Amino acid sequence: MHWTEARDLLRCWREENVRKSLKVVDIWESVLGKKMNKLGDEKLLVLEQVCIAALDCNRQEVADYCLKALRAEFPTSLRVHRLRALQLEALKQYDEALDLLEKIIKQDETNAAPRKRKVAILKAKGKTSDAIKELTEYLKKYMSDQEGWQELCELYLFEQDFNKAAFCLEELILHNPHSHLIHQRYADIRYTQGGTENIEIARAHYCLALKINPNNIRALYGLFMCATNIALNPKTTPVKRKGASKLAKWALKELNSSLLNSGKYFLWHQKCGGESKRQADKLTPREGVPSVGALPLCTPWHLLSLGADVYREWYYGYRKDTLKWIKNKVVLYYIFTVGT
């Protein structure tokens, strides 16, 4: 690769915010490391990019070289100090990194990056409560940071504080109401909380997720679970029970139709290395999706509940106990939603 091509490639990755650390370090060592004088104004940007990539790959010698070159140009730059804090974090010198980040914040209180690094360090140290406190203070000043709300939600879920995690996702929904993943995640939390009200809220947001993206299998499965739970609840009114039963039947039908095809495609990849979905569709039911009794349920429910690895293990003769448990659960749902 010519050095101009390498320069243009790194520039493209910077502009698109792509973080291909291994490739960046390889390009640096094989091409650009010897052509730094020809980069002109991009020299410092390339050094910063390579430094971050080297820290990702634990190439401390490359990171040291880049930091020394940047310090020679800008000895008092906060941007260079932040790179030094990243290096200390990579070396697991967390206390020194926190002290340096505190100095950066005191010099520039509007700089959001060091505040987010503090949260990451506290999380790495296992101080979840301190990370939550720090991130909460950060979001009071930067309320529109969607990544911050998402990270705070994950921290609350780690602490099993579902109410506050749901609040964080409500903020995300206000920022991005057209994301099916946010609606699905919010519905997952509400379903986990349990209770009639929460399950009805979860059903509504699973429906929104499916409206935005009809191919969201997880939302379809969640909708089926919510509708089944509402229909089986003895406190549900007859009108709601009838509507929930219809909704559960529809969701199960869609699950079977969509996951049947995905299961055949998965099995084709496992057996033949994967050619095309058209060839997978030609498989017979016995070749494509083994069935239990009269119900072709193995592929959908293994892929949903346990993932492709367990399905593969069952197909080749293992995990019969797991299959039996899933079969019993699915038959109950089948009797309720289809047999009624």
Side-chain angles (χ1 to χ4, degrees):
M1 180 185 294
H2 195 263
W3 73 269
T4 56
E5 296 177 354
R7 178 200 60 192
D8 294 340
L9 184 58
L10 291 187
R11 181 193 302 161
C12 178
W13 288 345
R14 285 198 307 273
E15 292 174 351
E16 296 179 358
N17 199 23
V18 177
R19 198 159 176 168
K20 299 183 178 182
S21 301
L22 286 173
K23 292 183 178 180
V24 170
V25 174
D26 289 341
I27 291 173
W28 165 262
E29 291 183 327
S30 60
V31 182
L32 289 181
K34 303 174 183 178
K35 303 290 183 179
M36 286 300 299
N37 295 329
K38 296 185 178 181
L39 292 177
D41 296 336
E42 287 190 66
K43 175 182 177 181
L44 300 176
L45 292 174
V46 170
L47 283 171
E48 182 182 27
Q49 184 180 10
V50 173
C51 180
I52 295 174
L55 292 175
D56 287 342
C57 302
N58 197 24
R59 297 290 302 276
Q60 296 297 332
E61 70 282 1
V62 178
D64 284 334
Y65 175 85
C66 296
L67 272 174
K68 288 179 181 178
L70 289 169
R71 281 178 179 174
E73 294 286 342
F74 304 103
T76 60
S77 172
L78 296 181
R79 196 164 172 176
V80 177
H81 290 336
R82 183 171 62 86
L83 291 176
R84 174 57 182 165
L86 286 175
Q87 186 182 37
L88 292 172
E89 183 181 349
L91 295 171
K92 295 186 179 181
Q93 299 177 13
Y94 296 132
D95 294 334
E96 293 84 347
L98 286 173
D99 293 338
L100 184 55
L101 290 173
E102 284 290 349
K103 293 179 182 179
I104 296 173
I105 293 172
K106 288 180 180 179
Q107 294 184 46
D108 184 8
E109 295 183 355
T110 62
N111 195 340
R115 298 178 186 272
K116 297 172 81 171
R117 292 315 312 169
K118 282 185 63 179
V119 175
I121 292 174
L122 291 172
K123 183 179 177 182
K125 294 178 70 175
K127 298 182 178 180
T128 308
S129 58
D130 292 338
I132 290 174
K133 182 179 179 181
E134 185 68 32
L135 188 52
T136 302
E137 292 297 323
Y138 168 81
L139 288 172
K140 288 180 181 179
K141 298 178 181 179
Y142 303 94
M143 298 181 183
S144 60
D145 190 339
Q146 296 185 39
E147 292 181 354
W149 286 110
Q150 188 171 356
E151 181 62 29
L152 185 58
C153 173
E154 296 297 329
L155 290 174
Y156 279 132
L157 288 176
F158 183 80
E159 293 290 312
Q160 296 186 6
D161 194 339
F162 296 109
N163 281 326
K164 292 181 180 179
F167 173 81
C168 295
L169 283 175
E170 288 169 358
E171 290 289 333
L172 281 173
I173 290 173
L174 291 175
H175 288 295
N176 190 3
H178 301 295
S179 173
H180 68 98
L181 296 176
I182 296 176
H183 286 287
Q184 170 206 302
R185 187 66 164 163
Y186 181 67
D188 289 342
I189 293 174
R190 286 298 186 184
Y191 183 84
T192 303
Q193 287 180 280
T196 303
E197 183 180 355
N198 286 323
I199 288 177
E200 288 184 353
I201 293 173
R203 179 185 62 176
H205 282 273
Y206 280 132
C207 289
L208 284 172
L210 286 170
K211 183 179 180 181
I212 297 170
N213 180 16
N215 296 323
N216 190 330
I217 301 299
R218 182 167 177 172
L220 192 62
Y221 178 63
L223 178 61
F224 168 73
M225 296 296 294
C226 289
T228 303
N229 191 294
I230 293 171
L232 291 175
N233 191 338
K235 297 182 180 180
T236 304
T237 62
V239 176
K240 282 189 175 181
R241 182 176 290 108
K242 184 177 179 181
S245 178
K246 289 182 179 179
L247 189 59
K249 289 179 182 179
W250 175 83
L252 183 62
K253 180 181 177 181
E254 293 296 318
L255 277 171
N256 285 329
S257 62
S258 58
L259 290 176
L260 186 67
N261 293 329
S262 65
K264 289 168 69 176
Y265 189 38
F266 163 77
L267 186 60
W268 176 258
H269 273 269
Q270 293 297 317
K271 293 176 65 177
C272 308
E275 293 289 336
S276 67
K277 192 173 186 303
R278 182 179 301 175
Q279 288 172 296
D281 290 335
K282 295 179 181 179
L283 293 172
T284 64
R286 178 173 296 179
E287 293 174 320
V289 185
S291 60
V292 181
L295 304 179
L297 298 173
C298 304
T299 296
W301 296 97
H302 273 74
L303 290 176
L304 273 173
S305 303
L306 301 174
D309 290 337
V310 174
Y311 174 76
R312 183 177 64 251
E313 290 178 9
W314 171 81
Y315 182 76
Y316 289 110
Y318 307 101
R319 302 296 290 273
K320 295 291 181 66
D321 55 338
T322 304
L323 175 65
K324 184 178 179 181
W325 179 84
I326 292 176
K327 175 188 173 184
N328 293 335
K329 293 291 183 182
V330 173
V331 167
L332 290 176
Y333 291 133
Y334 182 84
I335 292 173
F336 170 70
T337 57
V338 181
T340 57

